[in-house]
Amino acid sequence: MSDHPFDTVTQYASPDLIAAFAYEGRAHDDDPRWPETGAPDLETYSRWSGHMCGIACLRMALLARTGHAPTMFELLDGARKYEAYTEDAETGAIRGLIYAPFVQYVRDVHPLDAAVHRTLTVAELLPLLDSGRLVMASVHKEIRRPENPAPGKGGHLVLVTGRQGDTVHFRNPSGHTHQARTASLPVATFADFFGGRGVSLT
């Protein structure tokens, strides 16, 4: 199964500013394109944009399968109603994306089938891709710079869209360059960043 021909959706409104957000200290509220996400205001966009990788993956999957999708914040609002994200009452800290309620949200609201994979090896990932499923895979965010040693595994979601032999194709919502956003890596390199869990969609 080769890559799918659809546009990459980033969790930030301005893809060309992701490098500045990630590595240069630019504040998330300094994003002139924030209204395009459907956020109700700049403060809400700034607070949530760093947590939207899973929502971006869902939006890509919907675009790939149906050709259209709600805005990022419409999708976020739906996921929050299912408690796929929670907020600490005292600190305000955001927790999520939480797989089980997210999958229920997708099944109930959108024309996609979804399944939780609490444990998922690379050997199990590849047949899912071969069967035509898209996989939201938990990886370390530094997969966007795979030339460096992986500093860890998991914590960020990318949408794995297919594979050709020992190469996997994926879209990274926080890729800081075009190549990092629409990416391909050898399976062995991907495995160094892969947290061994995810959600598959079809």
Side-chain angles (χ1 to χ4, degrees), residues 68-96:
H68 56 84
T71 68
M72 290 282 282
F73 274 80
E74 286 172 326
L75 293 172
L76 175 65
D77 288 345
R80 289 178 68 189
K81 288 174 183 173
Y82 278 74
E83 299 189 338
Y85 292 88
T86 60
E87 298 176 75
D88 187 283
E90 294 183 3
T91 67
I94 296 168
R95 176 174 175 256

Side-chain angles (χ1 to χ4, degrees), residues 5-153:
F6 60 92
D7 291 338
T8 300
V9 174
T10 57
Q11 65 192 83
Y12 303 100
S14 299
D16 58 331
L17 295 180
I18 292 175
F21 295 143
Y23 300 119
E24 298 165 19
R26 184 169 179 142
H28 291 175
D29 63 4
D30 190 9
D31 188 335
R33 293 175 59 183
W34 70 267
E36 297 174 28
T37 65
D41 52 61
L42 179 57
E43 181 182 359
T44 303
Y45 170 80
S46 176
R47 182 161 185 264
W48 282 92
S49 55
H51 302 273
M52 297 279 275
C53 52
I55 296 299
C57 288
L58 173 59
R59 192 161 196 271
M60 283 188 271
L62 287 167
L63 290 170
R65 294 301 193 237
T66 70
H68 56 84
T71 68
M72 290 282 282
F73 274 80
E74 286 172 326
L75 293 172
L76 175 65
D77 288 345
R80 289 178 68 189
K81 288 174 183 173
Y82 278 74
E83 299 189 338
Y85 292 88
T86 60
E87 298 176 75
D88 187 283
E90 294 183 3
T91 67
I94 296 168
R95 176 174 175 256
L97 191 136
I98 304 167
Y99 292 172
F102 174 77
V103 161
Q104 194 62 53
Y105 161 60
V106 172
R107 287 175 172 171
D108 287 354
V109 177
H110 299 290
L112 298 173
D113 178 51
V116 177
H117 302 272
R118 289 182 177 83
T119 60
L120 185 66
T121 65
V122 170
E124 293 165 337
L125 169 67
L126 300 181
L128 291 173
L129 301 174
D130 292 341
S131 72
R133 294 182 78 86
L134 302 169
V135 179
M136 293 170 51
S138 178
V139 299
H140 193 279
K141 63 183 180 181
E142 279 300 303
I143 199 168
R144 61 189 165 208
R145 299 194 294 188
E147 67 277 8
N148 298 328
K153 294 175 181 279

